[in-house]
Amino acid sequence: INSNNFLDEIVQNVYKVDGREITLIDLWGNDYNNYLSLNPIATLSILNRNLSFGKNINEYDKKRFHAKTILLENITLNEDNESSLSTLSVTVKRYPGLSKQIIESAYKSIINYSYQITKIKSEETVSFIRTQIKDIEKSLNSAENDMIEFLESNNSIQSPALIVKKNRLETEISLFSQLYISLNDQLELAKIEEQDITSSIYLLDSPKIHPLKSGYSLLKGYIILGIITYIFSMLFYIHFMFFESL
């Protein structure tokens, strides 16, 4: 999921949000220069990133980069070491239905990537076997020509040396013939695998919207708000007492 191509594909796909069709670039990209945030660290991060953009980066690329950043922050892939089961999760505030669509799109992208990798490996295997077949075929033809030349030069094969040489040539021809047949069988299997569109990745559970809302719960929100209020109150009190003592 950290692949740049994967993120590009996901943010450029069209999704249905509130009855309209829109990409994640259009949905999130406009906020790439939005510095209004309660989190000062987030504001500084956006400012620092925008200052780091190159001069040749256009408006669309900035929006796309921002959309990919948001997606990467809100998508997680967890793998169980015991079962090798992977779980893909996406959190999108205000649009839970969009999370489901993104997961579906991500799954299709992963399947397509897996297929492309398998296809490339199969093509490499087919190409390698074909090269080996050509080499073995040359060796087989050469051994057969040596046998023809030997038989034409020796009408009567009676001496032990000629018998041994004939046996060696026959063994060599037999060996190359077996290799040639075996490689052709492997080539046919590789061609079948090359056309195989099945994937080793299977969807165990279809994407579902989590019953609980993302983000802080009401209770947790009140607690955090209370802590922040207390801190600001203490700072204000210290500031007030400091000036009173002057």
Side-chain angles (χ1 to χ4, degrees), residues 48 57 82 123 141 148 168 228:
N48 178 66
I57 302 297
E82 295 183 359
E123 289 174 351
N141 291 334
I148 292 172
R168 286 176 179 173
I228 294 174

Side-chain angles (χ1 to χ4, degrees), residues 9-16 20-24 101:
E9 182 179 346
I10 299 302
V11 299
Q12 293 182 75
N13 282 341
V14 177
Y15 305 94
K16 289 185 178 180
R20 56 178 179 152
E21 293 186 345
I22 190 173
T23 66
L24 298 183
Q101 294 179 65

Side-chain angles (χ1 to χ4, degrees), residues 143 146-147 150 165-174:
D146 289 343
M147 175 63 83
F150 174 79
K165 186 174 182 179
K166 180 175 180 294
N167 288 338
R168 286 176 179 173
L169 288 172
E170 288 177 343
T171 300
E172 190 174 7
I173 291 172
S174 176

Side-chain angles (χ1 to χ4, degrees), residues 103-140:
I103 291 177
E104 291 172 346
S105 179
Y107 174 71
K108 291 178 182 178
S109 179
I110 293 171
I111 290 295
N112 182 63
Y113 173 78
S114 175
Y115 168 70
Q116 292 298 329
I117 292 298
T118 303
K119 189 172 185 290
I120 290 173
K121 289 183 177 180
S122 298
E123 289 174 351
E124 291 176 349
T125 302
V126 169
S127 177
F128 174 76
I129 294 175
R130 281 176 174 164
T131 301
Q132 293 297 107
I133 287 176
K134 289 181 181 179
D135 292 340
I136 293 298
E137 189 175 14
K138 289 180 181 179
S139 298
L140 177 59

Side-chain angles (χ1 to χ4, degrees), residues 50-69:
N50 289 347
L51 291 175
S52 301
F53 279 133
K55 294 181 180 180
N56 297 327
I57 302 297
N58 56 39
E59 191 80 3
Y60 178 80
D61 288 335
K62 291 179 181 178
K63 292 180 180 180
R64 183 176 61 176
F65 185 87
H66 183 67
K68 290 192 293 185
T69 301

